[in-house]
Amino acid sequence: MADSKKVLLSGMKPTGRPHIGNYFGAMKQFVDLQGQFEPYYIMVADYHALNFVQNAGEMRELSHEMVLDFLAICLDPERVILFKQSDVPEHTELCWIFDTITTMPYLMRAHAYKDAEAKDKEISVGTFNYPMLMAADILLYDAECVPVGQDQKQHVEYARDTAQKFNRIFGEAFTLPEALIMPDVAVVPGIDGRKMSKSYGNHIPLFASDDEIKRQVMSIVTDSKGKGEKLDSETDNVFALHKLFSQDQLGGLASKYRAGEIGYKESKELLAENIIKFISPMRAKREEFSKDSSIVERVLKAGGEKARAKASETISKVRKLIGVR
Ligand code: ADP
Ligand code: TRP
């Protein structure tokens, strides 16, 4: 029965074309979990993206493109409340309320903040406060399950802590959320072996053209072993991606690696072929959706209305509890 299911919410920042790390680490779960949770919220986190994208045209386009990406991977707007964060002003309102019960040292412990600081970056207040906006995203909807990649786990813990703190100070308002992380694909490696990320330029775009896929796969970094030498499937970056794209060939491939019966070039060619097979149907679907320019607006309008109805209910309760209503 619908009302016995748990609530799910997740989101992604529209900061650029998604890559296969985003897909396996987050987006695929959004698709696979459809039907198991209700309501099921997926959000285009444009206010989070504003920390990185500070150009109106670019912001509009990236948000629009992200909805097409979601439709292409088979998120079904009939089953999923797909909405844009900025369409629901309650997010920033609740973020402010959380700011008042949160300390600076606590936010200074966030990995994202520490990384930026270690790199001597100028950190905006928005970046510093990122976890509180994310806590608001999650807690407004009473989300119990939050599917995210490993790197976002700490943010969900921040949301949970913040819910507890608010409940303790003002009275029960929030449900405690939990992160859902798929252990097998927790971190997808990029072509240089580091975590795949847009910011490292080591990624394979999810909707890449065949040529782009081949080019990226052929430039995966390997050691210098030549054909005939034994290869180590545990440490090889090519094999790490085979685990995602060549599942039915893995056993055979691993024994060829051990016996020195396959070289990196051949392994890469097989990988490129399998990635192309995997990506092309989604790419075609995306192309179809992009022909109807009104579809994105329709989906976001319907999703935004549903999200807002729930968010305004929560914020009324919160306002009462803190004494501003
Ligand atoms: P990027 O590092 O490319 O900018 P984002 O930070 O926008 O990616 O991440 C969007 C979502 O994709 C998050 O849920 C994140 O955990 C997930 N994700 C990003 N990169 C990877 C990766 N290499 N492996 C697994 N999941 C990832
Ligand atoms: N911070 C997440 C990321 O960088 C995106 C995000 C924003 C999110 N709000 C969220 C994810 C709420 C889950 C729930 O990927």
Side-chain angles (χ1 to χ4, degrees), residues 201-215:
N202 63 353
H203 58 290
I204 303 176
L206 180 58
F207 298 101
S209 66
D210 290 1
D211 280 348
E212 224 175 333
I213 295 169
K214 285 183 200 153
R215 201 171 53 239

Side-chain angles (χ1 to χ4, degrees), residues 150-162:
Q150 181 70 40
D151 60 337
Q152 293 295 316
K153 189 166 177 260
Q154 191 195 30
H155 287 153
V156 181
E157 284 158 7
Y158 268 63
R160 198 182 162 88
D161 288 353
T162 306

